[in-house]
Amino acid sequence: MMQTRTTPQVLPNQTHRSSTTPETVTATPMTILDGGMGRELEQRGAPFRQPEWSALSLSLAPNSVHDIHLDYIKSGATVITVNSYAVTPYHLGDAFFSKGEALIETAAKLAFEAVQASNSQTDKNLNSPTNVKIAGCLPPLFGSYRPDLFDAEQAPTIAQPLLSAQADYVDMWLVETQSSIVEAQTWYQLIEKFTATKKESTAKTDTLSKPIWIAFTLDDSQLEGSQPDISTDNVADVDQTIYSPVLPTLRSGESVAEAIQAMMVLDVDAVLFNCSQPEVMASALQVAKATIDEAGSPMQLGVYANAFVSKQSHKQANAQLRQIREDTTPKHYLTWAKLWQDSGASIIGGCCGIGTEHIEQIAQHLTQK
């Protein structure tokens, strides 16, 4: 029998379609996201391979997924993300259409049960936050880093099970790794249509409208063949050495400013930058913050970077397991996180290759701004 979520409590300043103006917004608490799931599974010896990626463990090692969620909470994450990223035809092929919805619901239940377990532990780790939220993962429907493969006509068929199987368990929607503006706009429209349809079919509507966060992946191909030195713990030093494009862009080539403007039209609750290297994030944040400040928007900003080695082609996201760079240690990742906070981010976590130790560092050292 499906468990039903109670009415989700929205994060501070995250009420969907908020009319709050910047003048009335109080200090925003730092929201700590979890880190990547796939590499944590691999490190723990759980079934893990391409092309199934993290979806493989949903059927073969669900306890490992549950334990990783719980460990991220113990590390200080205030939002954990459902492990449904790889449950798409791009990763599962035709099996998605017969098994996908059941796998997605399993993923949502595992996140929900991890939060319940964390809340019930009497000897809870002192770092564990209370009232942890669950983000429903809405992935790129036709492959990571591939705006050229996006098909708006086919999107609803793939999106429907991702929405319906997670809706009863999650507190917000996190649309991840969007390579183009049209991808993000399409997901937004699909969420709105799904929510409206659900409202028509039930008298209980208070749990249906959820905050929408959109995460864009940035073009970091300029870093290929080079690896900037981040072996410093001083944010000011990092600020002088990072790769900082004048006009940061999405992987589609569209500018960050264009993406932010498009998301403000939709009135999304937060825009994040994810699954790109740390070096390109601060510049994107600075452009984004200037754009939303000029418009007087209350939209929040966030970052969760990956730890991929730069010289690997960004268009081969699912071709093979990508190498993880050795310099993105928890201590150095914290240095980046401090820079992102200074650049306007109030939501920070990690993507591929960023694990529980990284999240623990962020949770312990990032403070309210």
Side-chain angles (χ1 to χ4, degrees):
M1 180 177 177
M2 179 181 289
Q3 296 166 289
T4 301
R5 294 282 294 167
T6 56
T7 302
Q9 297 180 15
V10 180
L11 292 173
N13 297 330
Q14 291 286 323
T15 304
H16 196 39
R17 310 299 172 263
S18 170
S19 60
T20 304
T21 61
E23 289 76 14
T24 62
V25 173
T26 56
T28 303
M30 178 60 61
T31 298
I32 307 297
L33 297 179
D34 56 7
M37 176 63 71
R39 297 310 175 112
E40 284 289 309
L41 288 166
E42 181 186 31
Q43 289 178 6
R44 300 179 190 212
F48 180 75
R49 68 187 180 212
Q50 293 289 52
E52 297 97 331
W53 196 253
S54 57
L56 191 62
S57 288
L58 291 173
S59 56
L60 299 183
N63 288 343
S64 295
V65 176
H66 173 277
D67 291 347
I68 290 170
H69 283 314
L70 192 55
D71 286 347
Y72 274 124
I73 296 171
K74 290 178 179 178
S75 297
T78 57
V79 175
I80 62 170
T81 306
V82 174
N83 180 36
S84 55
Y85 188 93
V87 189
T88 65
Y90 187 76
H91 289 274
L92 299 183
D94 289 341
F96 169 81
F97 299 101
S98 58
K99 302 177 180 178
E101 188 160 5
L103 288 175
I104 296 161
E105 184 171 356
T106 294
K109 286 181 177 179
L110 289 169
F112 181 54
E113 290 165 0
V115 171
Q116 288 185 310
S118 176
N119 290 339
S120 65
Q121 287 181 352
T122 56
D123 59 341
K124 190 191 297 184
N125 185 299
L126 293 178
N127 289 330
S128 298
T130 58
N131 200 26
V132 174
K133 305 302 179 190
I134 300 174
C137 170
L138 302 178
L141 297 174
F142 303 96
S144 301
Y145 308 171
R146 295 299 303 269
D148 57 309
L149 297 181
F150 181 71
D151 185 339
E153 292 186 4
Q154 296 300 317
T157 301
I158 304 172
Q160 180 62 34
L162 283 156
L163 291 164
S164 59
Q166 296 184 75
D168 289 335
Y169 300 94
V170 305
D171 301 297
M172 68 198 73
W173 295 115
L174 176 56
V175 181
E176 299 200 82
T177 322
Q178 301 295 282
S179 295
S180 68
I181 294 172
V182 68
E183 281 188 75
Q185 290 171 326
T186 301
W187 255 127
Y188 177 89
Q189 293 162 1
L190 292 170
I191 295 169
E192 293 288 275
K193 183 177 180 179
F194 171 80
T195 303
T197 301
K198 291 281 285 185
K199 285 182 177 180
E200 291 175 359
S201 63
T202 179
K204 187 177 181 181
T205 62
D206 55 345
T207 63
L208 295 177
S209 294
K210 307 177 191 295
I212 298 175
W213 294 1
I214 305 288
F216 289 105
T217 179
L218 302 170
D219 181 11
D220 56 8
S221 60
Q222 300 93 333
L223 292 171
E224 292 179 15
S226 65
Q227 199 65 70
D229 178 20
I230 62 167
S231 55
T232 176
D233 303 320
N234 187 297
V235 171
D237 291 343
V238 170
D239 201 21
Q240 298 301 313
T241 60
I242 60 172
Y243 172 81
S244 182
V246 176
L247 292 175
T249 64
L250 312 186
R251 295 190 188 272
S252 61
E254 296 163 301
S255 73
V256 165
E258 290 175 305
I260 294 294
Q261 289 163 354
M263 295 305 100
M264 286 193 296
V265 169
L266 299 179
D267 197 17
V268 303
D269 297 277
V271 168
L272 302 90
F273 302 108
N274 83 303
C275 210
S276 305
Q277 292 191 71
E279 287 81 2
V280 300
M281 297 302 194
S283 178
L285 280 170
Q286 290 157 12
V287 169
K289 188 174 188 305
T291 304
I292 65 175
D293 285 352
E294 183 178 357
S297 169
M299 188 167 68
Q300 292 196 53
L301 295 172
V303 168
Y304 53 117
N306 66 32
F308 287 148
V309 170
S310 64
K311 63 180 63 177
Q312 299 173 93
S313 173
H314 68 284
K315 289 190 176 181
Q316 302 301 317
N318 201 43
Q320 60 185 358
L321 295 183
R322 300 179 67 186
Q323 184 180 350
I324 298 297
R325 57 195 282 186
E326 296 179 358
D327 61 348
T328 313
T329 64
K331 192 172 182 179
H332 292 156
Y333 194 75
L334 173 62
T335 305
W336 289 115
K338 290 178 179 177
L339 178 61
W340 300 332
Q341 186 181 30
D342 289 347
S343 299
S346 60
I347 307 167
I348 296 179
C351 204
C352 307
I354 304 301
T356 55
E357 298 88 351
H358 299 79
I359 301 307
E360 184 174 22
Q361 283 285 313
I362 293 171
Q364 288 181 353
H365 294 95
L366 293 191
T367 58
Q368 180 169 306
K369 294 291 283 186

